[in-house]
Amino acid sequence: MSLQLTTERLTLRPPLPKDFDDYARYYASDRSALNGGPLDQIGAWQKFACELGHWQLRGYGLFSVIERTSGKLCGRVGLWNPEGWPEAEIGWAMYDGFEGKGYAYEAALRVRGYAYVTLGWGPLVSVIALGNDRSIRLAERLGAAHERDWEAPSGKQALIYRHPGKDAT
Amino acid sequence: MISLSGIPIYETDRLKLRAPALSDFETVVTYFASDRSMPVGGPLEREKVWSGFCYGAGQWAMRGYGFWYAERKEDGALIGRSGVYHPEDWPEPELSWTLFSGDYEGKGYAFEAAQAALQGAKALNVPSLISSVKGDNPRSTALALRLGAQDEGDYETPYGTMRKFRHYGGRA
Protein backbone atom coordinates (compact mmCIF):
# COMPACT_ATOMS: atom_id res chain seq x y z
CA MET A 1 0.00 0.00 0.00
CA SER A 2 1.82 3.06 -1.18
CA LEU A 3 -1.02 5.49 -0.59
CA GLN A 4 0.23 8.76 0.86
CA LEU A 5 -1.41 12.12 1.38
CA THR A 6 0.46 15.30 2.17
CA THR A 7 -0.42 18.69 3.57
CA GLU A 8 1.71 21.71 4.31
CA ARG A 9 3.03 20.26 7.57
CA LEU A 10 1.94 16.61 7.58
CA THR A 11 2.25 13.29 5.80
CA LEU A 12 -0.58 10.77 6.07
CA ARG A 13 -0.07 7.11 5.23
CA PRO A 14 -1.70 3.80 6.23
CA PRO A 15 -0.35 2.47 9.54
CA LEU A 16 2.69 0.19 9.66
CA PRO A 17 3.58 -2.34 12.40
CA LYS A 18 6.39 -0.02 13.56
CA ASP A 19 3.79 2.58 14.55
CA PHE A 20 2.64 0.38 17.41
CA ASP A 21 4.75 1.80 20.26
CA ASP A 22 3.35 5.32 19.88
CA TYR A 23 -0.11 3.84 19.56
CA ALA A 24 0.30 1.81 22.77
CA ARG A 25 1.59 4.89 24.63
CA TYR A 26 -1.50 6.83 23.60
CA TYR A 27 -3.81 4.00 24.69
CA ALA A 28 -2.00 3.64 28.02
CA SER A 29 -2.93 7.22 28.89
CA ASP A 30 -6.22 8.70 30.00
CA ARG A 31 -6.11 10.81 26.84
CA SER A 32 -7.60 7.78 25.08
CA ALA A 33 -10.64 7.62 27.39
CA LEU A 34 -12.96 9.07 24.73
CA ASN A 35 -11.54 6.82 21.99
CA GLY A 36 -12.01 3.35 23.50
CA GLY A 37 -9.18 3.51 26.06
CA PRO A 38 -7.32 3.26 28.26
CA LEU A 39 -5.96 -0.14 27.18
CA ASP A 40 -3.07 -2.25 28.42
CA GLN A 41 -0.36 -3.44 26.03
CA ILE A 42 -2.34 -6.56 25.10
CA GLY A 43 -5.54 -4.66 24.44
CA ALA A 44 -3.69 -2.01 22.45
CA TRP A 45 -1.97 -4.66 20.31
CA GLN A 46 -5.33 -6.26 19.57
CA LYS A 47 -6.91 -2.93 18.62
CA PHE A 48 -3.94 -1.85 16.53
CA ALA A 49 -4.03 -5.14 14.59
CA CYS A 50 -7.73 -4.53 14.09
CA GLU A 51 -7.00 -1.09 12.60
CA LEU A 52 -4.49 -2.63 10.19
CA GLY A 53 -7.09 -5.27 9.32
CA HIS A 54 -9.72 -2.60 8.68
CA TRP A 55 -7.45 -1.16 5.97
CA GLN A 56 -6.87 -4.59 4.50
CA LEU A 57 -10.54 -5.54 4.41
CA ARG A 58 -12.19 -2.25 3.51
CA GLY A 59 -9.42 -0.58 1.56
CA TYR A 60 -9.51 2.52 3.76
CA GLY A 61 -8.98 3.28 7.44
CA LEU A 62 -7.25 5.52 9.92
CA PHE A 63 -4.03 7.05 8.60
CA SER A 64 -0.92 7.47 10.69
CA VAL A 65 -0.23 11.21 10.74
CA ILE A 66 3.44 12.23 10.63
CA GLU A 67 4.91 15.64 11.31
CA ARG A 68 7.03 16.37 8.26
CA THR A 69 9.73 18.43 9.96
CA SER A 70 10.47 15.87 12.71
CA GLY A 71 9.24 12.61 11.18
CA LYS A 72 7.34 11.97 14.42
CA LEU A 73 3.97 10.27 14.61
CA CYS A 74 1.46 12.75 15.90
CA GLY A 75 -1.81 10.85 15.77
CA ARG A 76 -4.37 9.09 13.63
CA VAL A 77 -6.91 10.65 11.33
CA GLY A 78 -8.96 8.83 8.76
CA LEU A 79 -12.01 6.91 7.68
CA TRP A 80 -13.44 4.42 10.13
CA ASN A 81 -16.30 2.03 9.58
CA PRO A 82 -16.49 -0.95 11.91
CA GLU A 83 -19.49 -3.25 11.93
CA GLY A 84 -22.38 -1.64 13.79
CA TRP A 85 -21.34 1.93 12.90
CA PRO A 86 -24.05 4.13 11.35
CA GLU A 87 -21.87 4.77 8.26
CA ALA A 88 -18.22 5.45 7.45
CA GLU A 89 -17.00 8.38 9.53
CA ILE A 90 -14.04 10.68 9.58
CA GLY A 91 -12.30 10.31 12.93
CA TRP A 92 -9.22 11.71 14.65
CA ALA A 93 -7.05 11.21 17.72
CA MET A 94 -3.91 13.24 18.36
CA TYR A 95 -1.04 12.02 20.50
CA ASP A 96 0.38 13.80 23.52
CA GLY A 97 2.32 16.92 22.58
CA PHE A 98 0.72 17.36 19.18
CA GLU A 99 -2.48 19.12 20.13
CA GLY A 100 -3.10 22.83 19.81
CA LYS A 101 -1.16 23.09 16.55
CA GLY A 102 -4.07 22.68 14.19
CA TYR A 103 -2.71 19.34 12.98
CA ALA A 104 -5.96 17.42 13.46
CA TYR A 105 -7.78 20.09 11.46
CA GLU A 106 -5.18 20.05 8.72
CA ALA A 107 -5.22 16.24 8.47
CA ALA A 108 -9.01 15.95 8.66
CA LEU A 109 -9.44 18.50 5.89
CA ARG A 110 -7.06 16.50 3.70
CA VAL A 111 -8.75 13.17 4.45
CA ARG A 112 -12.16 14.67 3.75
CA GLY A 113 -10.96 15.93 0.41
CA TYR A 114 -9.54 12.49 -0.36
CA ALA A 115 -12.87 10.84 0.51
CA TYR A 116 -14.90 13.26 -1.60
CA VAL A 117 -12.64 13.59 -4.60
CA THR A 118 -10.69 10.32 -4.87
CA LEU A 119 -13.23 7.92 -3.35
CA GLY A 120 -16.27 9.85 -4.61
CA TRP A 121 -18.11 9.69 -1.29
CA GLY A 122 -21.03 11.85 -0.17
CA PRO A 123 -21.14 14.08 2.92
CA LEU A 124 -19.32 12.35 5.77
CA VAL A 125 -20.20 12.10 9.43
CA SER A 126 -18.05 12.20 12.53
CA VAL A 127 -19.07 10.10 15.51
CA ILE A 128 -18.04 11.92 18.68
CA ALA A 129 -18.27 10.58 22.23
CA LEU A 130 -20.60 12.55 24.46
CA GLY A 131 -18.47 15.00 26.43
CA ASN A 132 -15.59 15.22 23.96
CA ASP A 133 -15.80 18.99 23.68
CA ARG A 134 -12.45 19.30 21.95
CA SER A 135 -13.62 17.05 19.13
CA ILE A 136 -16.90 18.90 18.88
CA ARG A 137 -15.00 22.18 18.41
CA LEU A 138 -12.90 20.60 15.67
CA ALA A 139 -15.98 19.19 13.93
CA GLU A 140 -17.58 22.64 14.02
CA ARG A 141 -14.41 24.26 12.71
CA LEU A 142 -14.59 21.80 9.82
CA GLY A 143 -18.10 23.06 9.13
CA ALA A 144 -19.90 20.00 10.50
CA ALA A 145 -23.17 20.34 12.42
CA HIS A 146 -24.88 18.18 15.02
CA GLU A 147 -27.33 15.90 13.24
CA ARG A 148 -28.53 13.48 15.91
CA ASP A 149 -27.60 11.57 19.04
CA TRP A 150 -26.60 7.95 18.71
CA GLU A 151 -25.96 5.00 20.98
CA ALA A 152 -23.00 2.86 19.96
CA PRO A 153 -23.34 -0.97 20.05
CA SER A 154 -21.18 -0.81 23.20
CA GLY A 155 -23.91 1.26 24.86
CA LYS A 156 -21.85 4.45 24.87
CA GLN A 157 -23.61 7.68 24.02
CA ALA A 158 -22.33 9.61 21.03
CA LEU A 159 -23.16 12.58 18.84
CA ILE A 160 -23.27 12.40 15.08
CA TYR A 161 -21.96 15.46 13.27
CA ARG A 162 -22.58 15.84 9.53
CA HIS A 163 -19.92 17.48 7.42
CA PRO A 164 -20.69 19.69 4.44
CA GLY A 165 -20.54 17.83 1.13
CA LYS A 166 -18.08 18.16 -1.69
CA ASP A 167 -19.67 21.20 -3.30
CA ALA A 168 -19.78 23.13 -0.02
CA THR A 169 -16.12 22.51 0.70
CA MET B 1 4.62 -6.51 6.08
CA ILE B 2 2.30 -9.04 4.41
CA SER B 3 -0.84 -7.52 2.93
CA LEU B 4 -3.80 -9.74 2.17
CA SER B 5 -2.94 -9.78 -1.52
CA GLY B 6 0.51 -11.15 -0.64
CA ILE B 7 -0.73 -14.17 1.32
CA PRO B 8 0.23 -17.45 -0.35
CA ILE B 9 -2.60 -19.66 -1.58
CA TYR B 10 -2.54 -23.42 -1.00
CA GLU B 11 -4.58 -26.09 -2.72
CA THR B 12 -5.30 -29.55 -1.37
CA ASP B 13 -7.30 -32.33 -3.06
CA ARG B 14 -10.61 -30.76 -2.16
CA LEU B 15 -9.86 -27.33 -0.70
CA LYS B 16 -8.37 -23.98 -1.55
CA LEU B 17 -6.81 -22.04 1.34
CA ARG B 18 -6.67 -18.30 0.70
CA ALA B 19 -6.49 -14.90 2.39
CA PRO B 20 -9.51 -13.62 4.34
CA ALA B 21 -11.86 -11.37 2.37
CA LEU B 22 -14.63 -9.01 3.43
CA SER B 23 -17.13 -11.31 1.70
CA ASP B 24 -16.30 -14.06 4.25
CA PHE B 25 -17.67 -11.99 7.10
CA GLU B 26 -21.34 -13.10 7.06
CA THR B 27 -20.35 -16.77 7.19
CA VAL B 28 -18.17 -16.06 10.21
CA VAL B 29 -21.05 -14.14 11.85
CA THR B 30 -23.37 -17.14 11.34
CA TYR B 31 -20.79 -19.47 12.84
CA PHE B 32 -20.29 -17.25 15.89
CA ALA B 33 -24.06 -16.98 16.41
CA SER B 34 -24.20 -20.75 16.91
CA ASP B 35 -23.18 -22.90 19.86
CA ARG B 36 -20.57 -24.52 17.63
CA SER B 37 -18.40 -21.49 18.40
CA MET B 38 -18.30 -22.21 22.14
CA PRO B 39 -14.82 -23.80 22.08
CA VAL B 40 -13.41 -20.56 20.61
CA GLY B 41 -15.16 -18.08 22.90
CA GLY B 42 -18.58 -17.85 21.25
CA PRO B 43 -21.40 -17.23 20.81
CA LEU B 44 -20.61 -13.62 19.88
CA GLU B 45 -22.67 -10.74 18.50
CA ARG B 46 -21.69 -9.35 15.13
CA GLU B 47 -19.82 -6.26 16.37
CA LYS B 48 -17.54 -8.52 18.42
CA VAL B 49 -17.16 -10.88 15.48
CA TRP B 50 -16.08 -7.90 13.38
CA SER B 51 -13.35 -6.97 15.86
CA GLY B 52 -12.00 -10.51 15.75
CA PHE B 53 -12.28 -10.72 11.98
CA CYS B 54 -10.46 -7.40 11.54
CA TYR B 55 -7.87 -8.50 14.08
CA GLY B 56 -7.29 -11.66 12.04
CA ALA B 57 -6.65 -9.68 8.87
CA GLY B 58 -4.37 -7.31 10.78
CA GLN B 59 -2.42 -10.11 12.44
CA TRP B 60 -1.09 -11.05 9.00
CA ALA B 61 0.39 -7.56 8.77
CA MET B 62 1.71 -7.59 12.35
CA ARG B 63 3.14 -11.11 12.49
CA GLY B 64 3.50 -12.22 8.90
CA TYR B 65 1.16 -15.17 9.45
CA GLY B 66 -2.49 -15.79 10.22
CA PHE B 67 -5.60 -17.66 9.13
CA TRP B 68 -6.34 -19.05 5.73
CA TYR B 69 -9.97 -19.31 4.73
CA ALA B 70 -10.87 -22.66 3.20
CA GLU B 71 -13.10 -22.93 0.16
CA ARG B 72 -14.36 -26.23 -1.12
CA LYS B 73 -13.12 -26.46 -4.70
CA GLU B 74 -16.14 -28.42 -5.92
CA ASP B 75 -18.66 -25.64 -5.23
CA GLY B 76 -16.77 -22.69 -3.76
CA ALA B 77 -18.47 -23.06 -0.35
CA LEU B 78 -16.56 -21.41 2.50
CA ILE B 79 -16.25 -24.39 4.85
CA GLY B 80 -13.91 -23.07 7.54
CA ARG B 81 -10.55 -21.63 8.37
CA SER B 82 -7.23 -22.86 9.57
CA GLY B 83 -3.98 -21.13 10.33
CA VAL B 84 -1.85 -19.52 12.96
CA TYR B 85 -3.44 -17.51 15.74
CA HIS B 86 -1.01 -15.48 17.80
CA PRO B 87 -2.32 -12.52 19.77
CA GLU B 88 -0.09 -10.62 22.17
CA ASP B 89 -1.20 -12.59 25.24
CA TRP B 90 -0.75 -16.06 23.74
CA PRO B 91 2.43 -17.94 24.66
CA GLU B 92 3.29 -19.29 21.21
CA PRO B 93 1.95 -19.38 17.67
CA GLU B 94 -1.12 -21.61 17.73
CA LEU B 95 -2.31 -23.79 14.86
CA SER B 96 -6.06 -23.70 14.90
CA TRP B 97 -8.86 -25.05 12.72
CA THR B 98 -12.58 -24.38 12.58
CA LEU B 99 -15.37 -25.72 10.41
CA PHE B 100 -18.13 -23.15 10.05
CA SER B 101 -21.02 -25.66 9.97
CA GLY B 102 -21.76 -29.16 11.27
CA ASP B 103 -22.55 -30.12 7.66
CA TYR B 104 -18.81 -30.10 6.93
CA GLU B 105 -17.81 -32.38 9.78
CA GLY B 106 -16.82 -36.02 9.49
CA LYS B 107 -15.39 -35.63 5.97
CA GLY B 108 -11.75 -35.04 6.84
CA TYR B 109 -11.91 -31.37 5.81
CA ALA B 110 -10.47 -30.08 9.10
CA PHE B 111 -7.50 -32.41 8.80
CA GLU B 112 -6.95 -31.49 5.16
CA ALA B 113 -7.08 -27.75 5.94
CA ALA B 114 -4.93 -27.99 9.08
CA GLN B 115 -2.32 -30.12 7.33
CA ALA B 116 -2.01 -27.50 4.57
CA ALA B 117 -1.90 -24.69 7.15
CA LEU B 118 0.84 -26.53 9.06
CA GLN B 119 2.92 -26.71 5.88
CA GLY B 120 2.09 -23.09 5.15
CA ALA B 121 3.24 -22.03 8.61
CA LYS B 122 6.58 -23.76 8.09
CA ALA B 123 6.96 -22.10 4.70
CA LEU B 124 6.37 -18.71 6.37
CA ASN B 125 9.05 -19.51 8.98
CA VAL B 126 6.69 -19.49 11.94
CA PRO B 127 9.27 -20.37 14.64
CA SER B 128 7.22 -22.86 16.67
CA LEU B 129 3.71 -24.20 16.62
CA ILE B 130 1.34 -25.68 19.20
CA SER B 131 -2.34 -26.47 19.35
CA SER B 132 -4.19 -25.94 22.64
CA VAL B 133 -7.26 -28.02 23.33
CA LYS B 134 -9.66 -27.03 26.07
CA GLY B 135 -11.52 -29.55 28.21
CA ASP B 136 -12.75 -32.86 26.93
CA ASN B 137 -12.57 -32.43 23.18
CA PRO B 138 -11.77 -35.84 21.69
CA ARG B 139 -12.28 -34.61 18.12
CA SER B 140 -9.64 -31.90 18.35
CA THR B 141 -7.30 -34.12 20.36
CA ALA B 142 -7.52 -36.83 17.70
CA LEU B 143 -6.88 -34.31 14.95
CA ALA B 144 -3.83 -32.85 16.70
CA LEU B 145 -2.36 -36.34 17.10
CA ARG B 146 -3.22 -37.26 13.52
CA LEU B 147 -1.27 -34.18 12.43
CA GLY B 148 1.74 -35.67 14.21
CA ALA B 149 1.79 -33.35 17.25
CA GLN B 150 3.29 -34.43 20.58
CA ASP B 151 1.10 -34.34 23.68
CA GLU B 152 2.84 -32.12 26.26
CA GLY B 153 0.08 -32.26 28.85
CA ASP B 154 -1.92 -29.54 30.56
CA TYR B 155 -0.77 -25.95 30.86
CA GLU B 156 -2.17 -22.59 31.93
CA THR B 157 -3.35 -20.17 29.25
CA PRO B 158 -5.04 -16.75 29.53
CA TYR B 159 -8.28 -18.71 28.96
CA GLY B 160 -7.76 -21.38 31.59
CA THR B 161 -6.16 -24.81 31.60
CA MET B 162 -5.65 -26.43 28.23
CA ARG B 163 -3.81 -29.41 26.84
CA LYS B 164 -0.80 -28.53 24.74
CA PHE B 165 0.04 -30.40 21.55
CA ARG B 166 3.31 -29.45 19.92
CA HIS B 167 3.72 -29.61 16.15
CA TYR B 168 7.30 -28.42 16.01
CA GLY B 169 9.92 -26.10 17.52
CA GLY B 170 9.96 -24.37 20.88
CA ARG B 171 12.11 -26.82 22.84
CA ALA B 172 15.31 -25.69 24.52
Side-chain angles (χ1 to χ4, degrees):
Chain A
M1 235 175 281
S2 57
L3 174 62
Q4 184 170 300
L5 307 178
T6 53
T7 69
E8 189 190 337
R9 296 178 294 167
L10 305 169
T11 299
L12 286 72
R13 57 149 175 78
L16 294 170
K18 66 176 180 182
D19 300 343
F20 175 66
D21 288 346
D22 289 289
Y23 183 91
R25 204 171 302 124
Y26 168 77
Y27 270 104
S29 78
D30 288 339
R31 294 173 51 74
S32 66
L34 295 168
N35 276 306
L39 295 172
D40 62 14
Q41 182 86 359
I42 290 163
W45 200 89
Q46 207 86 0
K47 189 168 165 60
F48 184 69
C50 188
E51 289 189 19
L52 292 181
H54 184 290
W55 269 101
Q56 298 283 329
L57 291 164
R58 295 223 188 263
Y60 58 85
L62 294 169
F63 291 89
S64 283
V65 178
I66 297 147
E67 187 177 46
R68 289 172 66 180
T69 51
S70 68
K72 283 182 181 161
L73 279 174
C74 42
R76 285 144 41 241
V77 176
L79 304 167
W80 185 239
N81 190 15
E83 188 65 30
W85 231 233
E87 56 187 280
E89 68 148 327
I90 176 163
W92 47 75
M94 300 312 286
Y95 295 162
D96 195 24
F98 296 100
E99 274 184 334
K101 299 172 191 289
Y103 284 170
Y105 175 76
E106 193 170 316
L109 212 53
R110 183 69 189 87
V111 168
R112 192 170 70 185
Y114 170 75
Y116 289 171
V117 175
T118 308
L119 301 179
W121 290 2
L124 280 161
V125 294
S126 286
V127 179
I128 300 174
L130 197 64
N132 193 344
D133 296 338
R134 205 172 180 122
S135 263
I136 290 171
R137 281 200 299 277
L138 176 54
E140 287 172 346
R141 192 176 163 205
L142 286 160
H146 178 246
E147 186 173 272
R148 64 188 170 99
D149 298 344
W150 182 66
E151 186 180 304
S154 64
K156 286 185 184 156
Q157 298 301 312
L159 308 169
I160 293 183
Y161 274 71
R162 176 74 59 183
H163 291 256
K166 185 182 171 187
D167 294 338
T169 54
Chain B
M1 180 175 130
I2 293 193
S3 61
L4 296 187
S5 57
I7 293 172
I9 293 169
Y10 292 101
E11 292 206 22
T12 64
D13 282 352
R14 295 176 295 168
L15 304 175
K16 178 178 164 185
L17 276 72
R18 52 150 181 82
L22 193 55
S23 53
D24 298 334
F25 180 62
E26 292 303 328
T27 304
V28 182
V29 168
T30 303
Y31 165 72
F32 272 103
S34 77
D35 287 343
R36 288 179 50 77
S37 67
M38 284 172 73
V40 288
L44 294 175
E45 57 211 50
R46 58 188 295 131
E47 290 81 16
K48 294 247 165 61
V49 178
W50 171 258
S51 297
F53 188 65
C54 250
Y55 164 80
Q59 192 204 281
W60 274 101
M62 293 294 284
R63 300 269 195 209
Y65 48 81
F67 282 118
W68 285 273
Y69 280 67
E71 273 176 27
R72 186 160 58 189
K73 291 204 276 192
E74 174 196 324
D75 60 359
L78 180 66
I79 63 138
R81 67 184 180 191
S82 184
V84 187
Y85 180 65
H86 191 189
E88 183 76 348
D89 60 349
W90 204 251
E92 280 186 65
E94 165 97 14
L95 180 68
S96 118
W97 49 80
T98 296
L99 295 176
F100 291 141
S101 155
D103 297 345
Y104 305 131
E105 268 179 15
K107 300 179 191 330
Y109 287 146
F111 176 72
E112 200 168 312
Q115 196 177 36
L118 175 58
Q119 294 309 313
K122 284 181 184 166
L124 290 168
N125 298 314
V126 177
S128 69
L129 203 58
I130 58 170
S131 289
S132 306
V133 178
K134 189 166 190 177
D136 181 35
N137 190 340
R139 258 195 133 92
S140 273
T141 300
L143 204 156
L145 294 172
R146 193 175 163 204
L147 287 164
Q150 302 291 312
D151 184 350
E152 294 192 345
D154 288 350
Y155 81 120
E156 287 307 311
T157 77
Y159 302 102
T161 306
M162 297 198 192
R163 197 166 188 93
K164 187 193 285 181
F165 294 88
R166 181 170 300 282
H167 299 283
Y168 67 83
R171 284 191 205 85

